[in-house]
Amino acid sequence: MKSGTHPDYHFITVQMTDGTTYQTRSTWGKEGDTLQLEIDPKAHPAWTGGRGQMLDAGGQVARFNKRFGGLSLGKK
């Protein structure tokens, strides 16, 4: 193997949004650095099953349905 081609793999501390921390190995930062998360699996709706809403900005969905609503793609 060539020397100097692999990044430094070391221990860092990850701090969740609620303040809890854990240690993991990473190539991010330097040995002993703390990575502070802004979004994490404990808080973000993508992981917690939060209810999402589809926003119809400017009536685009209604306009699409009005324009193409009668179009049939199936065989007759």
Side-chain angles (χ1 to χ4, degrees), residues 6 10-11 17 19-22 24-26 32-33 35 38-39 44 49-50 53 55 58-60 65 68 70 73 75:
H6 297 284
H10 50 269
F11 280 101
T17 57
T20 59
T21 61
Y22 66 92
T24 188
R25 295 190 64 159
S26 176
D33 282 353
L35 174 64
E38 295 175 6
I39 298 173
H44 196 275
Q53 295 179 341
L55 300 176
Q60 290 182 4
N65 287 335
F68 299 109
L73 299 176
K75 293 182 180 180

Side-chain angles (χ1 to χ4, degrees), residues 7-63:
D8 181 32
Y9 194 60
H10 50 269
F11 280 101
I12 64 165
T13 302
V14 178
Q15 183 176 8
M16 307 292 262
T17 57
D18 64 357
T20 59
T21 61
Y22 66 92
Q23 282 205 330
T24 188
R25 295 190 64 159
S26 176
T27 58
W28 180 86
K30 295 180 232 141
E31 179 81 28
D33 282 353
T34 300
L35 174 64
Q36 295 180 339
L37 299 180
E38 295 175 6
I39 298 173
D40 67 32
K42 292 181 181 179
H44 196 275
W47 290 285
T48 60
R51 201 175 138 218
Q53 295 179 341
M54 183 176 155
L55 300 176
D56 185 9
Q60 290 182 4
V61 173
R63 200 168 46 225

